[in-house]
Amino acid sequence: MLGAKADGAWYLHELTCERELAFFVMFSSAGGSVLAAGQANYAAANVFLDALAVRRRAEGLPATSLAYGLWAGAGMGQWLGEADLERMRRQGLPALEPEQGLALFDAGLASGRAALVPLPMDVAALRSRTDTLPALLRDLVPTTRRRSTVSRADAASLRQRFAQADGTGQEDLLRALVMERAAALLGHSSADALDAERDFLEAGFDSLSAMELRNALMKDTGLKLPPMVVFDSKSPAELARLLRTDLLAAGPLATGDTDEAARPADAHAGPESGAAPQSAGRPPETLRDMFHGAVVSGRADKGFALLQAAADVRPGFGSVDELDRLPAAVRLADGPEGPHLICLSTPMATGGVHQHARLVSHFGGRRRISALPVPGFVAGESLPTSSDAAVQALARSVLEAADGKPFVLLGYSSGGTLAYATAGHLERECGVSPAGVVLLDTFKVHDGGSEGVPLDGLALGMFDKEAVFGRFDSSRLSAMGRWVELVPRLPLTPVEAPVLFVQCTQSFVPDGDDASPDLVSGRAEPWEAAHTLRTVRANHFTLVEDRAEETAQVIGEWLESHDAAAGTGAAE
């Protein structure tokens, strides 16, 4: 995005600067000013356009850069579901209606200014936000804004009520707080719509809404909570119990604690997460910092070698029989239709059962859907030492999740490789055939390994996600290093089960990058001629994010056709 947008604008400037133009208009984005958490390249590209407009005006040339906010039903806004639009409204930044956007275009040209930000704002909603406001919006909201608990009292008031309650009362207070916050974020009018024991993922939370809930609870309680506390806690009831434990350990609220708790995730990361302060000139001291340094200097291959070396000193298993237990599947939905859909997570630091949440939300609760964690990404878990051990562990986890019922395996990106290898192992070694396999834009990295995969770009994109995940700890990074090594070695003999291959039509790699032709074209190809090919107008990342609704529709239609052919309508 940075190269395409910045280079394109600059070349147009050079080609036309000697001509007498009436207008030179660039469509920038408010993402460069207030909206771009986790989108560093996108923000930089748009700020470049704004700066170019200012430069042209200074040189006596016409220029207008319009840093639009989100448009409803147009541009990138056309791919967003109602939950995403509602999130924007809650943040005080509602989407522009097309008529508003066109009117602001005319007003921008007539203003005579170089750079403008046509961005609707709801000041009342800004005041109610519980996270840290973008710097350019803070003057719109008084510094005494929003002290939030269930009753809108401040954290000190909540702690006082907490201290005066007995054990049961303390847990009830915190459970009510969590439930009210969660219900509001999911768009429910009352906390009664939620089950306190139901998993956050099954209730409809994704990584963004989980971060919003965590930020709100930090303001409510004055506690410093880990970035992934919502998903790690599983359910509102368990999160309330964790909050109670932390509040009992924290004691009275000190002055300034609520401001400290409201800082972004990176401000709270401890030594294990790689956030330990460093003196100027000192070399990086953590696995995360050394890996990050390798990536930003264009040596991602060396960085991954470092992660693999770290994985070698962790506990490992050469056979699934050496494990006391395997990571348990997480139920995301429980519907009556067809075989159980079991999603295998991507073996990356950003992977995990949460990455399927947005996709699952578009199935409308019609199917039973679970997500399966990949072994080794949690501190204390053992890592497979071979591809055979890896696929054995995945296969046993699938069988435990399926519980003897028909199932379909689904994998996104390299998670598709895990799904395909697991399906083959189940057919060959266990005599169990999945009802189907779904591969979501899965590039085949066998027969040549990972050569041609743009590791630098993929790793940089991963670090952009730290705004949501917090800094990656050593367990997640070393596990990724091991799985990046194992994935190209997994056995991929053709499976007997029907396979759906969902292909993206848009590239996520700029032309000219050092990548294979398939990656540059943006088209991962079906692995076998018998695989059913369906396309989605998306790139590798938007397939399960902004375009998740269309992806779910493609998957659902294929599953329904196979349900009908196999005579497996509603689950028994």
Side-chain angles (χ1 to χ4, degrees), residues 68-272:
Y68 274 109
L70 183 72
W71 286 45
M76 290 190 292
Q78 67 183 302
W79 315 129
L80 299 186
E82 184 55 38
D84 300 299
L85 295 173
E86 177 59 31
R87 179 182 292 119
M88 298 294 292
R89 288 191 286 269
R90 286 198 307 270
Q91 291 178 340
L93 303 168
L96 273 167
E97 294 299 325
E99 296 78 9
Q100 291 177 295
L102 293 174
L104 289 169
F105 179 89
D106 293 336
L109 289 185
S111 72
R113 294 178 179 271
L116 301 102
V117 184
L119 177 69
M121 286 180 285
D122 182 341
V123 176
L126 288 174
R127 289 195 182 103
S128 68
R129 282 176 60 164
T130 56
D131 59 341
T132 301
L133 283 175
L136 294 182
L137 301 183
R138 290 173 193 163
D139 287 345
L140 300 175
V141 180
T143 56
T144 57
R145 65 185 176 95
R146 64 192 194 285
R147 295 287 186 176
S148 46
T149 65
V150 174
S151 63
R152 293 293 179 188
D154 60 15
S157 173
L158 180 132
R159 287 203 181 187
Q160 183 177 17
R161 285 182 288 144
F162 176 83
Q164 293 171 348
D166 59 15
T168 300
Q170 290 174 345
E171 191 162 320
D172 289 344
L173 172 68
L174 295 173
R175 182 179 297 199
L177 171 67
V178 173
M179 293 286 282
E180 181 173 317
R181 287 284 180 240
L185 286 168
L186 292 176
H188 299 303
S189 59
S190 167
D192 294 339
L194 298 180
D195 180 348
E197 301 293 341
R198 192 182 188 192
D199 195 286
F200 281 111
L201 284 164
E202 189 176 356
F205 270 81
D206 60 18
S207 55
L208 290 176
S209 52
M211 180 176 66
E212 286 186 280
L213 178 58
R214 173 249 188 184
N215 289 342
L217 292 174
M218 286 202 301
K219 286 295 291 186
D220 290 339
T221 63
L223 294 171
K224 302 173 187 177
L225 301 175
M228 296 297 286
V229 66
V230 171
F231 291 141
D232 289 344
S233 299
K234 305 295 185 185
S235 68
E238 187 60 34
L239 180 54
R241 286 190 281 270
L242 181 145
L243 292 176
R244 179 173 180 265
T245 299
D246 285 359
L247 283 172
L248 289 172
L253 185 69
T255 302
D257 278 1
T258 53
D259 293 335
E260 175 68 17
R263 292 183 186 176
D266 283 357
H268 304 294
E272 171 61 15

Side-chain angles (χ1 to χ4, degrees), residues 325-329 340 342 372 393-404:
R325 63 181 179 85
L326 289 163
H340 187 171
I342 301 176
L372 196 64
L394 294 171
R396 183 170 295 184
S397 292
V398 166
L399 291 176
E400 290 179 0
D403 193 25

Side-chain angles (χ1 to χ4, degrees), residues 389-443:
V391 77
Q392 286 176 21
L394 294 171
R396 183 170 295 184
S397 292
V398 166
L399 291 176
E400 290 179 0
D403 193 25
K405 303 292 177 57
F407 63 93
V408 172
L409 297 181
L410 177 148
Y412 159 66
S413 188
S414 53
T417 307
L418 304 187
Y420 199 88
T422 301
H425 179 86
L426 288 169
E427 290 179 347
R428 293 189 310 272
E429 306 297 334
C430 306
V432 176
S433 182
V437 179
V438 179
L439 305 181
L440 300 181
D441 208 48
T442 299
F443 290 89

Side-chain angles (χ1 to χ4, degrees), residues 430-499:
C430 306
V432 176
S433 182
V437 179
V438 179
L439 305 181
L440 300 181
D441 208 48
T442 299
F443 290 89
K444 193 172 184 180
V445 295
H446 291 60
D447 304 326
S450 57
E451 183 178 355
V453 177
L455 292 177
D456 297 69
L458 289 174
L460 282 173
M462 183 188 75
F463 280 111
D464 281 346
K465 298 292 186 181
E466 282 190 315
V468 173
F469 291 93
R471 292 197 169 200
F472 300 120
D473 62 24
S474 299
S475 296
R476 296 188 72 80
L477 289 173
S478 57
M480 179 177 69
R482 171 60 53 80
W483 281 94
V484 165
E485 185 178 11
L486 291 179
V487 165
R489 302 176 185 174
L490 293 173
L492 294 184
T493 54
V495 300
E496 296 178 8
V499 176

